[in-house]
Amino acid sequence: MGVEETFGKYAAVYDEARRKFIPCFDDFYAVALRLLPRENPSPRILDLGAGTGLVSAMVLEQYPNALVMLTDISDAMLARARQRFEGTDCKVNFTVTDYTRHLPEGPFDAVVSALSIHHLTHEQKADLFRHIYQYLAPGGIFINADQALGETHEIDTYYRECWFEKVQRAGVTDEEMAGAKERMKEDRMSTLSDQLDWMKQAGFTRVNCWYKYYNFVVYSGTKACALI
């Protein structure tokens, strides 16, 4: 079973336990949202691996005039996103696509992603960063709120043990944990240091990790403005 089938299977219940599975939920998303460009009241924003639209909804609360394009490989997940925005005045578009193969037409003022890119191989991540850079407008920003592999096996093992203890204390049920473990089989995590290096190699400037909580990280990079 691939990523599309695995996450489609859990689309209907995916949002219910988000706070349980992300111990740093509030800070994790708040830091990512704070990085969005503030000078443009109507930015064009691409949400990669948008899933049920959780991040896009947060973006639109902050920028109600933004045009947000949601992409995901799972039609079932995007169906939940469509329900989330049904009956609202939000400017949203939905595209079912494998973003490692195709990105919607840019340019974008910001590209955001949350808890999706860690499903890609090392090579796919590096290629994606290069493609994102090309689709950004000059001065645009790429923000990734995701999970990263510990820099050593020992560190990563410690991170996972701490995460497991915290989600157990949060009251995750056996059924919820079983679903999480099934989804985790699709993880292809890379270290934070490797990902920041790939960002720089893709051409990004101001590459920085703004937040880190065990495996949870928020980092970004900016496309330099064209010289006049």
Side-chain angles (χ1 to χ4, degrees), residues 147-218:
Q147 290 179 287
L149 191 70
E151 295 291 328
T152 68
H153 175 71
E154 291 76 17
I155 291 172
D156 195 65
T157 299
Y158 177 75
Y159 285 172
R160 289 178 179 271
E161 290 173 348
C162 290
W163 173 82
F164 187 71
E165 291 173 2
K166 289 180 183 296
V167 298
Q168 280 190 312
R169 290 197 207 106
V172 169
T173 66
D174 290 342
E175 184 179 1
E176 289 170 336
M177 181 56 73
K181 288 181 176 179
E182 183 175 355
R183 294 190 295 273
M184 288 166 66
K185 292 177 182 179
E186 302 298 333
D187 290 354
R188 306 289 185 269
M189 294 203 292
S190 306
T191 64
L192 174 62
S193 59
D194 279 344
Q195 292 179 75
L196 297 182
D197 284 343
W198 297 331
M199 291 275 286
K200 294 171 185 176
Q201 292 167 15
F204 286 98
T205 61
R206 302 177 187 172
V207 174
N208 190 54
C209 177
W210 303 97
Y211 181 81
K212 189 173 188 300
Y213 183 89
Y214 299 107
N215 288 111
F216 294 90
V217 298
V218 178

Side-chain angles (χ1 to χ4, degrees), residues 21-40:
F21 284 118
I22 307 173
C24 55
F25 185 97
D26 290 326
D27 288 340
F28 181 64
Y29 287 107
V31 170
L33 292 170
R34 189 170 178 80
L35 293 171
L36 288 168
R38 297 177 178 274
E39 62 279 1
N40 184 353

Side-chain angles (χ1 to χ4, degrees), residues 2-223:
V3 173
E4 179 182 0
E5 294 82 5
T6 298
F7 281 81
K9 176 180 175 181
Y10 291 99
V13 298
Y14 185 77
D15 282 352
E16 294 178 8
R18 287 298 82 199
R19 286 186 176 273
K20 295 180 185 178
F21 284 118
I22 307 173
C24 55
F25 185 97
D26 290 326
D27 288 340
F28 181 64
Y29 287 107
V31 170
L33 292 170
R34 189 170 178 80
L35 293 171
L36 288 168
R38 297 177 178 274
E39 62 279 1
N40 184 353
S42 304
R44 283 172 50 88
I45 299 175
L46 174 62
D47 185 353
L48 294 179
T52 63
L54 178 64
V55 171
S56 289
M58 294 178 181
V59 169
L60 286 161
E61 285 182 8
Q62 187 168 314
Y63 295 96
N65 294 320
L67 169 61
V68 180
M69 304 184 71
L70 293 79
T71 67
D72 200 278
I73 197 171
S74 169
D75 187 42
M77 292 292 267
L78 279 186
R80 303 294 294 185
R82 292 186 183 95
Q83 291 177 10
R84 184 190 294 272
F85 295 108
E86 188 175 358
T88 72
D89 295 327
C90 296
K91 292 181 285 187
V92 290
N93 291 326
F94 306 92
T95 303
V96 179
T97 186
D98 179 350
Y99 60 69
T100 65
R101 299 175 180 272
H102 172 75
L103 290 176
E105 193 67 29
F108 297 99
D109 300 297
V111 175
V112 300
S113 187
L115 299 174
S116 176
I117 293 175
H118 70 276
H119 297 126
L120 307 184
T121 66
H122 301 341
E123 293 78 11
Q124 287 176 320
K125 291 185 184 78
D127 285 343
L128 178 65
F129 295 164
R130 288 192 290 269
H131 293 150
I132 290 172
Y133 186 85
Q134 295 171 0
Y135 279 78
L136 278 172
I141 189 170
F142 167 48
I143 305 162
N144 189 25
D146 209 349
Q147 290 179 287
L149 191 70
E151 295 291 328
T152 68
H153 175 71
E154 291 76 17
I155 291 172
D156 195 65
T157 299
Y158 177 75
Y159 285 172
R160 289 178 179 271
E161 290 173 348
C162 290
W163 173 82
F164 187 71
E165 291 173 2
K166 289 180 183 296
V167 298
Q168 280 190 312
R169 290 197 207 106
V172 169
T173 66
D174 290 342
E175 184 179 1
E176 289 170 336
M177 181 56 73
K181 288 181 176 179
E182 183 175 355
R183 294 190 295 273
M184 288 166 66
K185 292 177 182 179
E186 302 298 333
D187 290 354
R188 306 289 185 269
M189 294 203 292
S190 306
T191 64
L192 174 62
S193 59
D194 279 344
Q195 292 179 75
L196 297 182
D197 284 343
W198 297 331
M199 291 275 286
K200 294 171 185 176
Q201 292 167 15
F204 286 98
T205 61
R206 302 177 187 172
V207 174
N208 190 54
C209 177
W210 303 97
Y211 181 81
K212 189 173 188 300
Y213 183 89
Y214 299 107
N215 288 111
F216 294 90
V217 298
V218 178
Y219 60 80
S220 72
T222 302
K223 183 171 182 175

